[in-house]
Amino acid sequence: MVIPRHLAVIMDGNGRWAKARKLTRTHGHRQGVVAVREIVSNSIELGISYLTLFAFSSENWSRPPSEIRDLLGLLKLFINKDLATLHKQNVRVRVIGSRAGLDDDIIALLDKAESLTANNSGLNLMIAFNYGARQEITDMVRHLARQVEMGQMTADQISEALVSQSLYTAGIPDPDVIVRTSGEQRLSNFLLWQAAYSEFIFVDCFWPDFDRRQLELALAEYGRRNRRFGGLTTDEPEMEQSAVASGG
Ligand code: FPP
């Protein structure tokens, strides 16, 4: 099996999973947390180095207050209950997203998760929380503009590398593959800059059903993809190169 260095997942379908079972959406999200634990353990076992999970988008604030309370509560519960285990598993936790407007107790919890595990050398787990890629890009532009404004650099010094280093994901390699569950085929404002060359895999099962078998099926599909990064594959005959040179 081809193991990606960085797997990112849009965990979608908790609500529909619950509805299909005549359960509440809260049940669906709770079962989603069980699937989170599973993918973390499976990623460790499979030797994936970076795992990014989209837990709460900056657009999710438009959900009903009770559901927002549920999702925030589950994140708190997850960190409170699972942080010791994650630390024992040598997982380094990072939370990507905006801290602006979050309650102090949540910020303290996220900081605690990051600082406790900062020196761990196993799986890098990124939880995208209050994350939106357009917000991330806007923050980056503002940050770089401020540096230019203060005379710390010139506009010409802004490079792709500097942009990458100025995003929430600074220092984290771009995702090799982005999996979205539940059959929806959208990026939904997730890792827009970082996804430039990612493979996209859309699976029909709802997030709570995304178990080891589903993960292995997705990785098998990833292994069948031919990643060219805008170039040519090595097995393409030379005479055809000019014909495909403009392909992505
Ligand atoms: C999408 O399902 C899922 C979410 C909006 C949140 C994902 C959150 C978790 C799995 C739990 C908390 C995460 C962590 C890391 C502890 P949906 O509600 O949009 O489903 P639907 O489209 O079927 O309604």
Side-chain angles (χ1 to χ4, degrees), residues 11-16 25 29 32-33 36 55 60 63 67 71 78 207:
M11 309 181 288
D12 197 8
N14 294 346
R16 278 163 287 166
R25 293 181 62 80
H29 293 314
V33 178
V36 165
N60 286 152
R63 294 193 176 199
E67 179 156 352
L71 285 167
F78 175 71
W207 171 247

Side-chain angles (χ1 to χ4, degrees), residues 30-239:
R30 263 191 231 147
Q31 206 55 38
V33 178
V34 175
V36 165
R37 287 193 190 104
E38 248 185 83
I39 200 171
V40 169
S41 300
N42 287 326
S43 298
I44 295 170
E45 279 176 31
L46 290 168
I48 291 169
S49 301
Y50 296 84
L51 173 68
T52 301
L53 300 176
F54 201 3
F56 192 88
S57 82
S58 39
E59 288 74 34
N60 286 152
W61 295 109
S62 62
R63 294 193 176 199
S66 61
E67 179 156 352
I68 293 174
R69 263 198 307 278
D70 270 354
L71 285 167
L72 298 188
L74 279 174
L75 180 81
K76 284 198 224 175
L77 197 72
F78 175 71
I79 295 185
N80 278 323
K81 258 184 83 177
D82 291 56
L83 186 59
T85 310
L86 292 169
H87 189 37
K88 243 184 258 158
Q89 288 173 307
N90 197 21
V91 173
R92 177 173 178 189
V93 180
R94 270 173 283 192
V95 183
I96 59 167
S98 171
R99 299 283 214 269
L102 295 181
D103 285 348
D104 288 347
D105 61 335
I106 296 231
I107 296 179
L109 210 54
L110 304 182
D111 287 347
K112 181 176 147 192
E114 291 191 334
S115 57
L116 178 74
T117 63
N119 295 319
N120 288 347
S121 56
L123 175 73
N124 290 279
L125 172 65
M126 276 71 61
I127 300 174
F129 176 76
N130 196 24
Y131 176 87
R134 287 183 172 181
Q135 179 69 58
E136 175 183 40
I137 290 169
T138 306
D139 283 353
M140 174 273 296
V141 171
R142 209 175 277 143
H143 168 76
L144 294 180
R146 212 168 274 135
Q147 291 191 344
V148 173
E149 205 173 60
M150 293 192 304
Q152 291 169 348
M153 65 175 187
T154 65
D156 284 342
Q157 282 173 307
I158 297 175
S159 61
E160 288 191 14
L162 188 60
V163 168
S164 291
Q165 282 162 34
S166 309
L167 297 171
Y168 303 143
T169 49
I172 296 164
D174 290 340
D176 300 294
V177 52
I178 299 180
V179 173
R180 181 171 188 148
T181 59
S182 92
E184 306 289 344
Q185 305 196 356
R186 286 187 297 279
L187 206 42
S188 297
N189 203 12
F190 187 49
L191 302 176
L192 295 183
W193 168 275
Q194 299 87 339
Y197 287 105
S198 304
E199 293 295 330
F200 294 102
I201 294 179
F202 301 105
V203 299
D204 282 336
C205 84
F206 297 134
W207 171 247
D209 290 328
F210 193 82
D211 56 11
R212 172 69 172 240
R213 189 175 152 270
Q214 290 290 335
L215 174 62
E216 288 182 1
L217 286 173
L219 294 182
E221 169 64 23
Y222 170 70
R224 287 191 289 272
R225 300 284 175 90
N226 177 6
R227 303 187 75 203
R228 295 204 302 265
F229 298 97
L232 299 172
T233 48
T234 44
D235 57 3
E236 255 160 336
E238 229 167 83
M239 54 186 285

Side-chain angles (χ1 to χ4, degrees), residues 7-24:
L7 164 68
V9 186
I10 302 175
M11 309 181 288
D12 197 8
N14 294 346
R16 278 163 287 166
W17 179 92
K19 194 171 177 199
R21 288 163 182 75
K22 299 197 163 39
L23 297 169
T24 62

